[in-house]
Amino acid sequence: MATPTTYVSGTVTGPIEIRFTPSGLAICRFRLTEVPRTWDPTTRQWQDATPIPYVCTAWDDIARNATESLVDGTAVLAHGRITPQRAA
């Protein structure tokens, strides 16, 4: 069964890293932080919830475009699969 895809909107936090495989395939990684907002009915205002950090990986043409287009602080909408965090 395929892993479902999802959308995450957030802000790029930090530098964009790009690497190439021996065959020349581009791979880029960047950090994305999503800050969910929740409605507080007592104050009748939106409140920022706990930020959720992601490490995003893009391949091939998308990796090249991301490296040329994204900088720290850019708002983005990412589409892909969320995989469990691996221990370092």
Side-chain angles (χ1 to χ4, degrees):
M1 187 166 143
T3 306
T5 60
T6 189
Y7 291 90
V8 175
S9 63
T11 304
V12 174
T13 51
I16 312 303
E17 303 169 9
I18 188 163
R19 296 184 183 162
F20 295 90
T21 64
S23 65
L25 182 69
I27 304 169
C28 93
R29 292 182 63 190
F30 60 93
R31 296 188 184 279
L32 176 72
T33 302
E34 177 185 26
V35 182
R37 300 197 38 116
T38 57
W39 178 255
D40 184 350
T42 57
T43 63
R44 299 183 53 82
Q45 292 182 341
W46 288 97
Q47 303 291 326
D48 289 343
T50 304
I52 303 169
Y54 296 94
V55 176
C56 300
T57 305
W59 297 79
D60 204 17
D61 289 339
I62 296 174
R64 292 175 195 271
N65 288 339
T67 303
E68 293 174 5
S69 305
L70 300 178
V71 294
D72 188 20
T74 303
V76 297
L77 176 63
H79 174 245
R81 293 184 296 273
I82 297 177
T83 57
Q85 182 178 8
R86 297 181 186 139

